[in-house]
Amino acid sequence: MGDNSRVSTLTARLGVLADRDFALYCAGNAISWIGTWSQRIGVGWLSWKLSHSPSWVGLVSLLQFVPVGVCAPMFGVLLDRTDRRRYSITANAVLAALAALLFVLAVLDALTIYRLCALATLLGVANSAYQPARLALVNDIAPPGRLAEAIATNSIIYNLTRMVGPAVAGVAIVSLGIASTFAINAVSFGAVIFALTVVEIEPVSHAPQSHGFLRDSAAGIRYASGHPLIRELMLLSAVTSILGRGLLELLPAFADAVYHRGSTGLAMLTTASGAGAMLGAAALSQAGRVRGLMNALVRHGTLWLGAVLILLGAVSRYSAALAILVVYGVAIVLCSVGLQVLLQMEIEGKMRGRVLGLWGACNIAGPGIGGALLGALAQFGGLRAVTIVSGAVCSGLAAYIMRRSGRLIAVAQRP
């Protein structure tokens, strides 16, 4: 009896991670994401070192994310037509190959800012192929009835790696050089590929292929635009992604040009926002079990996002910026992950790939677009001033959209 009690207690503490398949999937993702964050720091720092221009830093970021906005909806159609396991393994293998190519070119000192832009575009296309699958797999692998907790737990792990990855990158850049961050990422994909080969994935009915690829894509757009809640969630996501989260892509410029802290300072800034994001994800994990609490957290997080940016632009001390970025990380997750939880609860299974492809266009490509826009404006108005204006516009638009869509968001909280 005592052993059973201890097992029950442990299972309760582990939550959704007590499920073997979901735990394996999360473990593989965790290792891969550490590599991904390490590479992102390496790419961002390399773009700054090659150009010393916030515009180029923003452009490199944009090229990594714009293909998600353009291609992810089409890849979502392909995902709805094929086996998700094979599809995901192939996408991760391509990403590993691109990371290895970055490593080789960096070691040979053959990267210019233009070649880095070209490789950033290829990375963007490969990421756009995997994004809808990554989001859909959480639904397919999570235990029945625990989707909200699974999405929030996945976000906790993602943001934990967002703390670890930049720290690994900082040490690697100082001790081994920028190229090492790309090698770390290339190797890390082996973990998620292994996990995808061994976990059980819930079978789904594939969309019929008789209508043609473009017509299936159009059907996904009609479905999303015709569903009031999904439409409003995507609109809110687009605004907050571009204006609220685009600043993340300019942290290399903040670290060097504003705070004069170099690559170590960049790793600390990214880690601070990652720490806050992990706190936000933990709050969402608990909120998934309490009726109405998720709705409140999403609302507050979305409004905080712009307000925190205003505060960040107003301060000049590095220590204050670190503290503010923790709050910024909390707001990012309450907004972006919270909106995704509400969205996933509404999608029909046969439309999941297409809708999540569109979601990737809003939620994942948005920060890259925002980073390029803010970077270009910062050339004329300065980073801090542009940050304040972006935060003010983000808060204003988010408040307007939520006044119009608040009733719709509440629909997702009905039992």
Side-chain angles (χ1 to χ4, degrees):
M1 193 73 172
D3 289 341
N4 290 337
S5 177
R6 282 192 291 270
V7 170
S8 298
T9 300
L10 179 60
T11 300
R13 288 178 179 176
L14 288 174
V16 72
L17 288 175
D19 180 83
R20 169 203 176 262
D21 288 321
F22 189 73
L24 279 172
Y25 178 63
C26 286
N29 274 335
I31 295 171
S32 178
W33 285 336
I34 289 173
T36 297
W37 278 107
S38 178
Q39 178 169 290
R40 283 192 67 181
I41 295 296
V43 169
W45 187 242
L46 184 59
S47 66
W48 175 255
K49 296 301 289 183
L50 290 172
S51 67
H52 292 283
S53 165
S55 293
W56 278 110
V57 174
L59 179 61
V60 170
S61 169
L62 177 68
L63 292 173
Q64 291 180 80
F65 289 102
V66 160
V68 179
V70 176
C71 302
M74 303 301 289
F75 281 119
V77 177
L78 182 60
L79 180 63
D80 280 337
R81 288 167 163 244
T82 191
D83 178 80
R84 290 180 183 172
R85 187 195 307 273
R86 290 197 301 269
Y87 178 100
S88 301
I89 290 173
T90 302
N92 278 286
V94 171
L95 285 165
L98 288 172
L101 178 59
L102 265 173
F103 169 71
V104 171
L105 292 177
V107 167
L108 296 175
D109 199 23
L111 282 171
T112 64
I113 191 64
Y114 302 105
R115 289 172 181 170
L116 185 61
C117 284
L119 282 168
T121 303
L122 292 176
L123 285 168
V125 173
N127 273 312
S128 71
Y130 185 50
Q131 287 305 328
R134 180 178 67 83
L135 298 176
L137 283 170
V138 176
N139 179 81
D140 297 341
I141 299 174
R146 305 187 72 173
L147 178 61
E149 186 183 354
I151 293 174
T153 299
N154 201 47
S155 179
I156 291 174
I157 295 170
Y158 177 77
N159 287 291
L160 179 60
T161 64
R162 188 172 161 186
M163 296 169 59
V164 176
V168 170
V171 173
I173 290 172
V174 170
S175 59
L176 301 172
I178 294 176
S180 62
T181 63
F182 309 141
I184 291 168
N185 191 37
V187 173
S188 73
F189 281 107
V192 70
I193 290 173
F194 171 76
L196 288 168
T197 62
V198 299
V199 299
E200 292 185 14
I201 297 177
E202 185 71 20
V204 295
S205 57
H206 298 307
Q209 302 183 24
S210 58
H211 293 156
F213 194 87
L214 292 178
R215 290 185 65 181
D216 281 351
S217 179
I221 295 173
R222 286 195 302 272
Y223 172 79
S225 61
H227 190 299
L229 177 57
I230 291 176
R231 183 180 63 242
E232 297 292 353
L233 290 172
M234 286 195 173
L235 180 59
L236 193 58
S237 174
V239 169
T240 55
S241 294
I242 294 171
L243 296 174
R245 292 164 52 207
L247 176 79
L248 280 175
E249 309 309 320
L250 295 181
L251 286 184
F254 264 91
D256 206 39
V258 176
Y259 303 120
H260 311 291
R261 298 282 177 150
S263 60
T264 302
L266 171 60
M268 289 295 294
L269 291 173
T270 308
T271 299
S273 65
M278 191 171 67
L279 293 174
L284 282 179
S285 180
Q286 296 301 314
R289 306 172 185 177
V290 181
R291 181 182 178 185
L293 184 55
M294 177 77 72
N295 185 37
L297 287 177
V298 172
R299 289 172 181 273
H300 288 300
T302 302
L303 289 175
W304 291 349
L305 194 56
V308 172
L309 284 183
I310 296 172
L311 187 59
L312 180 64
V315 304
S316 57
R317 293 178 58 190
Y318 179 70
S319 57
L322 287 173
I324 292 169
L325 280 170
V326 173
V327 182
Y328 179 58
V330 172
I332 283 176
V333 169
L334 293 184
C335 173
S336 63
V337 178
L339 291 174
Q340 186 201 146
V341 170
L342 300 183
L343 181 81
Q344 289 260 37
M345 291 178 175
E346 293 295 313
I347 307 172
E348 293 180 26
K350 65 181 181 180
M351 303 296 292
R352 192 168 300 277
R354 279 167 282 185
V355 174
L356 290 176
L358 294 169
W359 174 258
C362 297
N363 193 57
I364 298 169
I369 296 171
L373 175 64
L374 298 179
L377 293 175
Q379 291 289 100
F380 305 98
L383 278 170
R384 293 173 60 193
V386 167
T387 300
I388 292 172
V389 172
S390 177
V393 176
C394 179
S395 286
L397 288 177
Y400 168 74
I401 293 170
M402 284 196 290
R403 274 201 304 271
R404 190 177 68 178
S405 65
R407 180 183 64 81
L408 294 173
I409 292 176
V411 170
Q413 303 303 318
R414 292 184 307 186

